[in-house]
Amino acid sequence: MSTAAVTDKRPGSLRGASLPRWSPWAIAVGSVAVAVGIGLGAGLDSKVQWGLIAAILFVLGTYGIAARVEGRRQAKDRVATSLVWVAFLLAVVPLVSLVWTTVSRGVKVLDVHFLTHSMGIVADSEPGGGIYHAIVGSLEQVGLATLIGAPIGVLTAVYLVEYGRGRLAQAVTFFVDVMTGIPSIVAGLFILSLMLIMKLDPFGFAGSLALAILMMPVVVRSTEEMLKLVPNELREASLALGVPKWRTILKVVLPTSIGGITTGVMLAVARIAGETAPVLLLVWGNPFINTNPFEGAQASLPLYIYQQYAAGGDPAYDRAWAASLTLIAFVMILNLVARGIARWKAPKTGR
């Protein structure tokens, strides 16, 4: 036998049996079919139970078939991959269900009239009305909260990463951790106590102050992590050229991490955009349009949703779902804008 013939046979002799690439899909389809049969036979009405049964059968089936064909070692690897996919589906299914329910029920009354009119003299039990007053209130309250909370959060993170040493930095870190877990109602009660001391009536800016308190720790934590990812070599190179530290932070550190900082700020904005308790305590809601956040009660989208759903009746429920869909679209647009800004301001890298 020639040497070439032996060489040609070696790859085949060293390569073990393996499942085809389409085998996970076939196992998944078989698991779903068996789960449906078990669900129908056992009289299980919940589709969630069917899905859990299918997930268990998929993992067990993957291990059994892979162990028989490829061996136990490769079967364990496939089981780990299967568990990752099952966990991914378990996380995605509720999200897809939520979005589908909101869209299907929210489009009933969502139109131009709904977006450009307020409730005004329309009763909650009557059809008609809109959310223009709530959109104006949410934009102003969240915008003012962002103008207050984002700069303070970013500067606090810069201090902790670039300058923070000793007990003061430890105290700031401790209080940031504590503020991260503060319920929204506590922030609202804090501002409400100040309003009662100064004998102030409800107004939109009071809600912005409470939202800023909730926003700051999120911005601090996300910005701090992004600043820590900036390589120290960049700082050292700038300082070696004689650039002051404050200018190094402004021209090197922050531009390098601007993408992550912007994403963190948008996550904080998305969190406060859906808060209802502080607005309910401090702003009270207003069925009419009020464009002045420093005087008089205002509406907001989360508060509008709560009030409409609490009012009951099909017209109010439809308006609540349409406002929920508008709020989701608002947060989605903010995230898209943040991604665009992050990509635009990201440092250019050459080949």
Side-chain angles (χ1 to χ4, degrees):
M1 182 181 295
S2 64
T3 305
V6 173
T7 304
D8 292 339
K9 289 183 179 180
R10 280 180 181 174
S13 61
L14 295 177
R15 187 185 300 119
S18 61
L19 294 173
R21 292 185 176 181
W22 48 264
S23 59
W25 297 101
I27 297 173
V29 172
S31 301
V32 171
V34 174
V36 171
I38 294 175
L40 293 176
L44 301 177
D45 297 330
S46 176
K47 301 299 188 297
V48 176
Q49 294 175 327
W50 295 11
L52 293 177
I53 294 174
I56 295 173
L57 292 176
F58 175 68
V59 174
L60 295 178
T62 299
Y63 180 79
I65 295 175
R68 186 176 183 83
V69 177
E70 300 176 332
R72 292 186 177 181
R73 182 175 182 180
Q74 186 64 22
K76 293 179 181 178
D77 179 74
R78 288 188 176 272
V79 166
T81 305
S82 302
L83 290 175
V84 171
W85 278 105
V86 169
F88 169 74
L89 291 177
L90 290 177
V92 168
V93 168
L95 177 61
V96 173
S97 176
L98 173 64
V99 173
W100 173 256
T101 302
T102 305
V103 171
S104 60
R105 301 192 64 173
V107 295
K108 292 181 180 179
V109 297
L110 185 61
D111 53 18
V112 176
H113 181 275
F114 183 74
L115 296 174
T116 56
H117 288 74
S118 65
M119 291 302 294
I121 59 174
V122 178
D124 292 337
S125 59
E126 299 176 353
I131 58 170
Y132 180 75
H133 62 302
I135 293 176
V136 171
S138 286
L139 290 177
E140 291 181 349
Q141 293 162 26
V142 173
L144 289 172
T146 304
L147 290 177
I148 297 171
I152 295 177
V154 172
L155 292 176
T156 302
V158 170
Y159 165 75
L160 291 176
V161 175
E162 303 294 337
Y163 298 99
R165 299 292 185 275
R167 294 184 178 180
L168 179 59
Q170 294 177 358
V172 173
T173 302
F174 172 76
F175 283 110
V176 168
D177 293 337
V178 172
M179 290 178 62
T180 303
I182 289 180
S184 59
I185 190 68
V186 176
L189 289 174
F190 172 70
I191 301 299
L192 180 62
S193 64
L194 298 179
M195 292 174 59
L196 294 176
I197 293 173
M198 294 183 286
K199 297 181 180 180
L200 298 176
D201 294 327
F203 61 109
F205 185 67
S208 299
L209 294 176
L211 296 178
I213 293 175
L214 299 173
M215 181 180 186
M216 281 187 284
V218 180
V219 176
V220 172
R221 275 286 161 257
S222 59
T223 304
E224 188 178 0
E225 294 302 322
M226 290 301 104
L227 294 177
K228 289 180 180 179
L229 293 177
V230 178
N232 286 326
E233 288 78 5
L234 295 178
R235 298 181 177 89
E236 294 171 356
S238 178
L239 295 174
L241 294 175
V243 180
K245 188 170 185 177
W246 68 269
R247 196 171 182 84
T248 298
I249 296 173
L250 188 63
K251 296 294 185 179
V252 176
V253 178
L254 289 178
T256 304
S257 57
I258 189 63
I261 294 174
T262 305
T263 303
V265 171
M266 288 301 105
L267 289 175
V269 171
R271 184 208 168 181
I272 65 173
E275 291 292 346
T276 307
V279 180
L280 181 62
L281 282 175
L282 307 172
V283 184
W284 278 22
N286 190 349
F288 295 93
I289 300 172
N290 179 14
T291 58
N292 186 3
F294 300 98
E295 183 179 358
Q298 266 192 328
S300 72
L301 283 173
L303 182 58
Y304 177 89
I305 296 168
Y306 168 75
Q307 291 175 337
Q308 291 298 310
Y309 201 83
D314 291 337
Y317 288 153
D318 292 340
R319 286 192 293 265
W321 282 107
S324 301
L325 180 58
T326 305
L327 184 59
I328 292 176
F330 171 68
V331 174
M332 185 181 299
I333 292 172
L334 282 179
N335 281 274
L336 292 176
V337 172
R339 288 179 177 273
I341 295 175
R343 183 171 297 182
W344 175 43
K345 290 294 185 179
K348 304 298 187 293
T349 57
R351 292 185 176 180

